[in-house]
Amino acid sequence: MSLKAGIVGLPNVGKSTLFNAITKQNILAANYPFATIEPNVGTVIVPDKRVNYLTELYNPKRSIPTTFEFTDIAGLVKGASTGEGLGNKFLSHIREVDAIIEVVRCFIDPNIIHVSGGINPINDIEVINIELVLADLEVVYNRLGKIEKKAEATKDKALIFEVELLNKCKNNLEANVPLRRISFNDDEKKLLKNFSFLTYKPIIYVANVSEDDIAVGDNEFSLKVKNYAEAEGSGVIVMCTKLEADLANLEEDEKQDFLASVGIINSGLVKLIFASYNLLGLKTFFTVGTDEVRAWTFKNGMKAPECAGIIHSDMLRGFIRAEVMSYDDLLEYKTELKVKEAGKLRIEGKDYEMQDGDICYFRFNV
């Protein structure tokens, strides 16, 4: 399941520095290499100690952890929605991602020019928000122009529902309210998927602070970002992208020693990977054996046949049942046999909703 987050921000906020740290990052070990799919897409391993334990237990020929993609999106300037700078390219790339990581400058450096002439993180956030709102409004206006009169004339229930939803979006967007802040019912959410609205995508703010501030954790600017994000129900990661880029060049032991020396337990990049993964409601199930131990990404709420289909479409088509044990039970009982003897190995059918940490063997016939 390929899902990705797009890294956005104004020029000179640390966006490219963060992406450079990501492209050098090798989170677990040297035999899990970082992969660059395209010049602007980086794939990182989602840190998971469960993969390490299962690998030690089964001693497979290969182990494959789950991964997550980050896309470096062209810098935005005011007027992007009307084509200023790389506006059209910027907006089209955001439509292709599942979540937005917005880097916000929260440090003072007289040697790095700010496009607005001063450090004002909330203003920076609003510049991007306004451009995304304007781009979404253009989509709404265009669609309403095509269907509004037809819906009124034909009384078509589906068209009327769509018009009502689009007007709901329009009213909020015209009030500069991103769609992610609005409550929608299940039917509305289903229809919204057709539009790829930019302001509907979930977002995490990266408050980029200086090396001096990172040990403290916050400064006056990052606190403002936190308050802003809390008001809209979004997440915040405080990090120093320059420090993360430096860390990416170190061996794992050196990283931990360096982090300890500045009073940090986990790197900001690791926190960002977990936050991005959770933001999209992603979870992990495992397949195990002497040939391969593998972690698979699935979305919360998926049923067993759908998860089997992530492995291969034939497994979805011919799904019979899933033999399931939890990672926690295997950790407690040490072997599959003892898990089975304890009555913890379950047979699940088509309606079973997969859980994080499930270890599965899928039975199918095609």
Side-chain angles (χ1 to χ4, degrees):
M1 176 172 288
S2 179
L3 294 168
K4 66 180 69 173
I7 303 173
V8 306
L10 299 178
N12 299 329
V13 298
K15 179 177 66 68
S16 295
T17 306
L18 174 59
F19 186 74
N20 288 339
I22 287 171
T23 58
K24 294 176 184 176
Q25 182 72 8
N26 183 6
I27 292 169
L28 290 183
N31 62 326
Y32 299 134
F34 166 81
T36 300
I37 299 173
E38 298 174 16
N40 67 327
V41 179
T43 301
V44 295
I45 294 165
V46 178
D48 196 332
K49 293 180 180 179
R50 296 174 297 184
V51 174
N52 294 345
Y53 177 79
L54 293 172
T55 299
E56 291 175 3
L57 187 63
Y58 287 89
N59 192 26
K61 295 175 183 176
R62 62 176 184 168
S63 294
I64 304 176
T66 191
T67 59
F68 193 83
E69 291 184 7
F70 289 92
T71 301
D72 188 22
I73 295 175
L76 176 142
V77 295
K78 188 175 182 179
S81 59
T82 57
E84 290 294 325
L86 295 173
N88 292 329
K89 184 177 182 181
F90 171 90
L91 297 171
S92 66
H93 284 174
I94 293 183
R95 293 196 192 282
E96 296 171 2
V97 302
D98 303 287
I100 297 172
I101 309 298
E102 183 172 336
V103 183
V104 186
R105 180 170 170 175
C106 294
F107 65 89
I108 296 174
D109 188 336
N111 297 314
I112 302 177
I113 299 171
H114 190 284
V115 290
S116 300
I119 309 303
N120 188 331
I122 304 306
N123 182 68
D124 292 355
I125 291 172
E126 287 298 334
V127 166
I128 290 182
N129 273 350
I130 288 171
E131 297 306 323
L132 301 186
V133 163
L134 291 173
D136 281 351
L137 272 173
E138 184 178 1
V139 173
V140 170
Y141 292 153
N142 287 341
R143 182 59 179 167
L144 281 175
K146 292 178 180 178
I147 68 169
E148 202 162 21
K149 290 183 178 178
K150 184 178 179 181
E152 186 177 345
T154 63
K155 306 300 181 185
D156 182 281
K157 290 183 179 180
L159 282 179
I160 291 172
F161 178 75
E162 184 176 352
V163 168
E164 290 173 348
L165 174 60
L166 289 172
N167 278 317
K168 178 179 178 178
C169 293
K170 179 172 74 77
N171 293 336
N172 282 285
L173 291 168
E174 287 179 340
N176 198 29
V177 179
L179 298 182
R180 63 177 169 271
R181 298 186 188 179
I182 310 306
S183 296
F184 296 99
N185 62 39
D186 290 341
D187 290 335
E188 290 173 330
K189 289 177 181 178
K190 186 176 181 180
L191 185 55
L192 282 172
K193 291 180 181 179
N194 297 330
F195 296 98
S196 296
F197 284 127
L198 304 179
T199 65
Y200 189 54
K201 296 180 184 294
I203 190 168
I204 294 174
Y205 297 101
V206 171
N208 185 18
V209 301
S210 69
E211 291 176 277
D212 292 334
D213 287 331
I214 190 59
V216 179
D218 277 304
N219 60 26
E220 61 175 307
F221 303 122
S222 62
L223 286 173
K224 290 179 180 178
V225 175
K226 281 188 172 181
N227 290 336
Y228 183 96
E230 184 179 356
E232 72 168 18
S234 297
V236 180
I237 302 293
V238 178
M239 72 164 71
C240 172
T241 60
K242 183 178 183 301
L243 177 64
E244 296 297 331
D246 291 340
L247 281 172
N249 292 315
L250 301 178
E251 296 296 328
E252 189 61 34
D253 290 344
E254 294 176 308
K255 287 180 190 177
Q256 296 306 319
D257 289 343
F258 186 85
L259 288 171
S261 71
V262 294
I264 303 172
I265 298 175
N266 293 314
S267 78
L269 188 51
V270 170
K271 293 177 183 177
L272 179 61
I273 292 168
F274 277 124
S276 302
Y277 200 73
N278 293 331
L279 182 69
L280 291 171
L282 303 182
K283 294 186 176 181
T284 304
F285 74 89
F286 304 94
T287 52
V288 297
T290 54
D291 284 336
E292 177 184 275
V293 164
R294 183 160 183 167
W296 302 87
T297 299
F298 70 100
K299 294 206 75 170
N300 188 34
M302 289 180 69
K303 301 292 181 65
E306 296 174 285
C307 288
I310 293 172
I311 300 174
H312 197 286
S313 59
D314 283 350
M315 298 176 75
L316 168 61
R317 186 159 52 93
F319 180 89
I320 299 172
R321 65 180 183 271
E323 298 172 7
V324 184
M325 60 180 167
S326 76
Y327 171 83
D328 289 339
D329 286 338
L330 182 60
L331 184 64
E332 179 181 352
Y333 293 101
K334 308 302 182 187
T335 68
E336 286 188 27
L337 178 60
K338 289 182 179 179
V339 170
K340 187 174 182 179
E341 289 174 345
K344 298 292 185 178
L345 181 66
R346 311 186 309 275
I347 304 299
E348 303 289 359
K350 294 181 178 180
D351 294 330
Y352 174 66
E353 189 172 299
M354 292 282 284
Q355 301 298 310
D356 185 64
D358 278 348
I359 301 171
C360 301
Y361 183 83
F362 294 106
R363 298 286 185 179
F364 69 103
N365 183 35
V366 291

Coordinates of all heavy atoms in Angstrom, one line a residue, residues 4 60 79 103 145 156 171 250:
K4 N 1.8 8.4 0.7 CA 2.9 9.4 0.8 C 2.5 10.7 1.4 O 1.3 11.1 1.3 CB 3.6 9.6 -0.5 CG 2.8 10.3 -1.6 CD 3.5 10.5 -2.9 CE 3.8 9.2 -3.6 NZ 4.4 9.5 -5.0
P60 N 14.8 -15.7 9.0 CA 14.4 -15.9 7.6 C 15.6 -15.5 6.6 O 16.6 -14.9 7.0 CB 13.3 -14.9 7.4 CG 13.7 -13.8 8.3 CD 14.3 -14.5 9.5
G79 N 0.4 33.9 -4.3 CA -0.1 33.9 -5.7 C 0.0 32.6 -6.4 O -0.2 32.5 -7.6
V103 N 6.5 22.7 6.7 CA 7.6 23.2 7.5 C 7.5 24.7 7.7 O 7.3 25.4 6.7 CB 9.0 22.9 6.7 CG1 10.1 23.3 7.6 CG2 9.1 21.4 6.4
G145 N -20.7 25.4 -11.5 CA -21.2 26.1 -12.7 C -21.7 25.0 -13.7 O -22.5 25.4 -14.6
D156 N -32.6 15.7 -9.8 CA -31.8 14.5 -9.6 C -31.3 14.5 -8.2 O -30.5 15.4 -7.8 CB -30.7 14.4 -10.6 CG -29.9 13.2 -10.5 OD1 -29.1 13.1 -9.6 OD2 -30.1 12.2 -11.3
N171 N -19.0 27.8 1.2 CA -19.3 28.8 2.3 C -18.1 28.8 3.3 O -17.8 29.9 3.8 CB -20.6 28.4 3.0 CG -21.8 28.6 2.1 OD1 -21.8 29.4 1.2 ND2 -22.9 27.9 2.4
L250 N 25.5 10.2 10.4 CA 26.2 9.5 11.5 C 25.8 8.0 11.6 O 24.7 7.7 11.1 CB 25.9 10.1 12.8 CG 26.4 11.6 13.0 CD1 26.0 12.1 14.4 CD2 27.9 11.8 12.8

